[in-house]
């Protein structure tokens, strides 16, 4: 059956399908699109006639996509994302400068690297606009796939299956034990592993994957995870570190500013107990060239990392910006 959708499907129908899928209700979608519900229903029926099947099934709480619907919704979202990017690219060409970057950032990278990187970007290219979306890998990969964001910065995890994305290594972000600079552990004559047993822990609950890596390191250090205080707030964790003798096990980038100021320090551990170095960098689509503004952002990221390495801050923060030949980084998918 030839549907000739490229000739017959209209943009208002594409927007309607996307809005209904996003909001799960014809009533809510009609309010967002500023049209009446009967008009939206008519638009949906027109699209269904072109497609040759129902796109949504009604139920008590709204609508649910059909198998036809899921296929059409994904394409509609891709089309709208590409049109948004075209709009931004035309603005960039018209102004001969600037542009917009849609950036996804994992929590650790957002807290540790983006402030310095974006300061450079603002200083060197003040006309570039940034749209920042922070989330977990599971949140951001679908947005990257449909074009809602241009690239993701953060921890590089091996994909379970090839996904058509390029993973480019930029740095390592190890998990470290940190404490306030005046903590008694830094003046103790005991070996670090014995001293660790004396103090309570406060651990971050950023994401399931980081949580698993922290649990693994706790097991290597023979520290009991069950008695640790946990929080999703980095601000709360920092305040507890400053006001108590608690220790924390976290990616060092989460408190990079404190480490660089010397108010928080890393507890030195034997190399064999530090664990893997947690490769991090950039994830982008293989089938789509980065806009010029995104390339500018990556250059600022490289400059920021190089500055940290030149100033020997890698020893203070635990960040490794040198790519050793024996490091195994995620392959390009």
């Amino acid at each position: 059956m030839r549907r000739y959708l490229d000739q017959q499907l209209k943009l208002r129908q594409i927007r309607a399908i996307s809005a209904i899928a996003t909001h799960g209700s014809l009533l809510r979608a009609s309010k967002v699109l500023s049209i009446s519900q009967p008009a939206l229903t008519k638009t949906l029926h027109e699209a269904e006639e072109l497609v040759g099947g129902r796109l949504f099934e009604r139920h008590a709480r709204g609508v649910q996509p059909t198998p036809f619907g899921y296929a059409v919704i994904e394409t509609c979202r891709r089309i709208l994302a590409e049109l948004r990017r075209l709009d931004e690219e035309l603005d960039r060409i018209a102004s001969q400068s600037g542009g917009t970057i849609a950036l996804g950032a994992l929590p650790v990278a957002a807290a540790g690297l983006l402030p310095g990187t974006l300061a450079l970007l603002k200083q060197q290219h003040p006309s570039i606009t940034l749209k920042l979306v922070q989330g977990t890998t599971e949140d951001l990969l679908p947005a990257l796939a449909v074009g809602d964001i241009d690239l993701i910065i953060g921890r590089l995890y091996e994909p379970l299956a090839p996904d058509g994305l390029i993973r480019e290594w930029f740095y390592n972000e190890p998990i470290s034990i940190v404490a306030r600079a005046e903590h008694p552990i830094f003046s103790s004559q005991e070996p670090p592993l014995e001293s660790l047993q004396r103090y309570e822990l406060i651990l971050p609950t950023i994401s399931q994957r980081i949580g698993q890596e922290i649990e693994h390191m706790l097991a290597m250090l023979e520290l009991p995870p069950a008695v640790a205080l946990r929080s999703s707030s980095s601000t709360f964790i920092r305040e507890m570190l400053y006001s108590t003798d608690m220790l924390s096990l976290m990616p060092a980038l989460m408190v990079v500013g404190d480490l660089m100021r010397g108010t928080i320090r890393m507890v030195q551990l034997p190399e064999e107990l530090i664990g893997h170095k947690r490769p991090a960098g950039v994830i982008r689509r293989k089938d789509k060239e980065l806009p010029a503004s995104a390339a500018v952002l990556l250059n600022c990221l490289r400059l920021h990392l190089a500055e940290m390495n030149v100033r020997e801050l890698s020893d203070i923060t635990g960040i490794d910006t040198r790519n050793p030949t024996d490091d195994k980084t995620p392959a390009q998918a």
Side-chain angles (χ1 to χ4, degrees):
M1 175 182 176
R2 185 67 188 275
R3 296 175 176 82
Y4 300 100
L5 296 179
D6 58 328
Q7 301 177 31
Q8 300 193 62
L9 194 62
K10 298 178 175 60
L11 184 57
R12 62 180 175 83
Q13 295 166 340
I14 293 172
R15 294 182 66 240
I17 293 167
S18 177
I20 294 169
T22 298
H23 298 283
S25 160
L26 288 169
L27 178 59
R28 289 192 291 269
S30 65
K31 291 180 179 179
V32 170
L33 295 173
S34 300
I35 61 176
S36 67
Q37 186 174 345
L40 180 60
T41 301
K42 180 181 178 182
T43 299
L44 175 60
H45 288 164
E46 291 172 349
E48 289 177 330
E49 287 181 8
L50 292 174
V51 171
R54 292 181 64 85
L55 300 180
F56 300 93
E57 295 289 352
R58 292 180 180 268
H59 56 78
R61 299 175 60 184
V63 295
Q64 178 71 28
T66 65
F68 264 96
Y70 281 113
V72 174
I73 290 165
E74 181 178 357
T75 299
C76 288
R77 286 174 171 167
R78 286 181 182 273
I79 292 171
L80 293 174
E82 288 298 323
L83 288 174
R84 287 192 293 270
R85 298 303 301 153
L86 174 61
D87 194 6
E88 293 162 359
E89 184 66 12
L90 292 175
D91 284 344
R92 185 192 66 79
I93 294 172
S95 64
Q96 295 299 310
S97 64
T100 301
I101 311 164
L103 174 65
L106 299 183
V108 176
L113 282 183
L114 282 191
T117 300
L118 298 185
L120 278 176
L121 181 69
K122 194 67 177 175
Q123 177 184 354
Q124 297 182 7
H125 304 274
S127 58
I128 290 180
T129 301
L130 178 75
K131 295 180 180 178
L132 178 62
V133 180
Q134 182 174 323
T136 65
T137 302
E138 290 74 15
D139 297 328
L140 298 177
L141 286 181
L144 179 65
V146 300
D148 285 342
I149 55 179
D150 296 311
L151 69 161
I152 300 170
I153 294 179
R155 173 77 162 90
L156 299 179
Y157 293 100
E158 292 279 5
L160 296 177
D163 55 11
L165 301 176
I166 294 175
R167 290 163 171 82
E168 183 179 359
W169 182 93
F170 272 63
Y171 61 98
N172 295 321
E173 52 174 43
I175 292 175
S176 306
I177 293 180
V178 296
R180 59 186 174 88
E182 300 83 8
H183 196 286
I185 197 170
F186 296 117
S187 57
S188 173
Q189 300 301 313
E190 290 182 306
L193 292 182
E194 295 180 17
S195 298
L196 292 178
Q197 307 288 340
R198 299 180 181 275
Y199 302 103
E200 295 181 86
L201 297 174
I202 180 166
L203 303 178
T205 54
I206 306 172
S207 70
Q208 182 179 6
R209 290 187 174 186
I210 293 180
Q212 291 171 347
E213 293 177 336
I214 290 176
E215 296 288 338
H216 175 69
M217 191 166 177
L218 286 172
M220 293 177 61
L221 296 170
E222 299 182 354
L223 296 175
V227 298
L229 177 63
R230 299 170 189 268
S231 174
S232 60
S233 169
S234 59
T235 301
F236 177 74
I237 292 174
R238 289 175 66 252
E239 289 302 316
M240 292 299 291
L241 290 177
Y242 281 123
S243 59
T244 71
D245 283 343
M246 299 183 84
L247 305 172
S248 186
L249 194 66
M250 62 167 66
L253 269 178
M254 288 184 62
V255 287
V256 66
D258 304 87
L259 289 166
M260 292 167 64
R261 287 186 291 270
T263 55
I264 284 180
R265 293 172 57 189
M266 292 190 303
V267 178
Q268 297 300 317
L269 296 173
E271 182 69 27
E272 64 271 15
L273 293 177
I274 295 178
H276 64 285
K277 296 185 177 181
R278 302 181 75 249
V282 171
I283 307 174
R284 57 187 177 88
R285 283 171 56 177
K286 185 183 297 184
D287 61 348
K288 183 178 179 182
E289 186 175 352
L290 286 177
S293 52
V296 169
L297 171 69
L298 291 185
N299 187 53
C300 289
L301 175 61
R302 291 186 181 94
L303 289 174
H304 183 48
L305 287 168
E307 180 186 11
M308 296 179 75
N309 197 40
V310 167
R311 292 170 60 190
E312 297 182 350
L313 294 178
S314 56
D315 294 333
I316 300 174
T317 63
I319 304 165
D320 187 357
T321 60
R322 294 156 293 183
N323 192 0
T325 56
D326 57 351
D327 265 358
K328 294 181 179 180
T329 58
Q332 295 182 352

